[in-house]
Amino acid sequence: MSKEEKFMREAIRLSIENVNYGNGGPFGAVIVKDGKIIARGVNNVTKNNDPTAHAEVDAIRKACKELGTFQLDGCELYTSCEPCPMCLGAIYWARPDKLYYANTKQDAANIDFDDDFIYQELKLDYADRKMTTVQLLRDEALEAFKLWSDSNDKVEY
């Protein structure tokens, strides 16, 4: 068994355990650095009443806390299912070196975890999306961007 298979089996084990314990959806994730698991995550959406409590996000938060950083350079993320759009965005922001997944987004859609509508919405102009989206007070909001841009006391990411 390869090290990659070993870590993926742990993510899969977590997903199965999460269903058996009734904590949330069938999703698990682990983050590995230097050949060692530094964080584990499971889906806790219904348990925590938090729509962002996906396994990947849970694992990213724990790994960043463990490492004392907001980026996961030198890390690998193993997840039991191809990430949803939210998780994929979080993964890109966290910047691990590699992403491994087991089940596909189609496998998830087959059991009613279908995120395709979000991918489709992202392609549309705001006026054509299902959720009404309105821009307000841009000129006022730009002040924060100007302050950030001019600041010499910031940590860029």
Side-chain angles (χ1 to χ4, degrees):
M1 168 176 29
S2 71
K3 66 180 178 81
E4 292 86 3
E5 290 172 332
K6 173 183 146 189
F7 296 133
M8 183 57 75
R9 283 193 173 102
E10 177 62 7
I12 293 167
R13 184 192 70 75
L14 290 168
S15 71
I16 293 167
E17 182 178 84
N18 206 49
V19 173
N20 286 334
Y21 288 161
N23 288 330
F27 306 99
V30 297
I31 296 179
V32 174
K33 185 169 178 99
D34 299 325
K36 179 183 171 210
I37 295 175
I38 60 166
R40 290 171 171 81
V42 295
N43 180 287
N44 287 304
V45 169
T46 56
K47 178 182 175 189
N48 294 346
N49 293 319
D50 179 354
T52 69
H54 290 200
E56 298 91 337
V57 172
D58 187 34
I60 288 168
R61 289 174 178 160
K62 290 173 179 174
C64 287
K65 185 174 183 177
E66 174 70 22
L67 296 173
T69 184
F70 53 84
Q71 293 184 340
L72 298 176
D73 300 322
C75 294
E76 298 173 342
L77 192 151
Y78 295 79
T79 181
S80 65
C81 186
E82 188 174 357
C84 74
M86 177 188 70
C87 290
L88 189 59
I91 291 164
Y92 270 95
W93 282 118
R95 296 181 175 93
D97 292 352
K98 279 189 177 176
L99 166 65
Y100 298 91
Y101 68 93
N103 291 320
T104 67
K105 60 185 175 183
Q106 185 57 56
D107 295 329
N110 292 343
I111 60 165
D112 297 326
F113 286 95
D114 191 355
D115 300 320
D116 189 58
F117 77 97
I118 297 172
Y119 289 107
Q120 298 311 313
E121 286 283 299
L122 291 173
K123 296 176 188 178
L124 300 174
D125 290 330
Y126 290 121
D128 298 324
R129 293 184 182 176
K130 290 180 180 151
M131 181 183 298
T132 302
T133 304
V134 180
Q135 184 178 23
L136 292 173
L137 304 176
R138 177 177 179 257
D139 291 339
E140 290 180 34
L142 283 172
E143 177 64 22
F145 282 16
K146 182 180 180 338
L147 288 169
W148 174 263
S149 182
D150 294 344
S151 176
N152 292 319
D153 186 31
K154 62 185 170 193
V155 177
E156 294 191 22
Y157 55 98

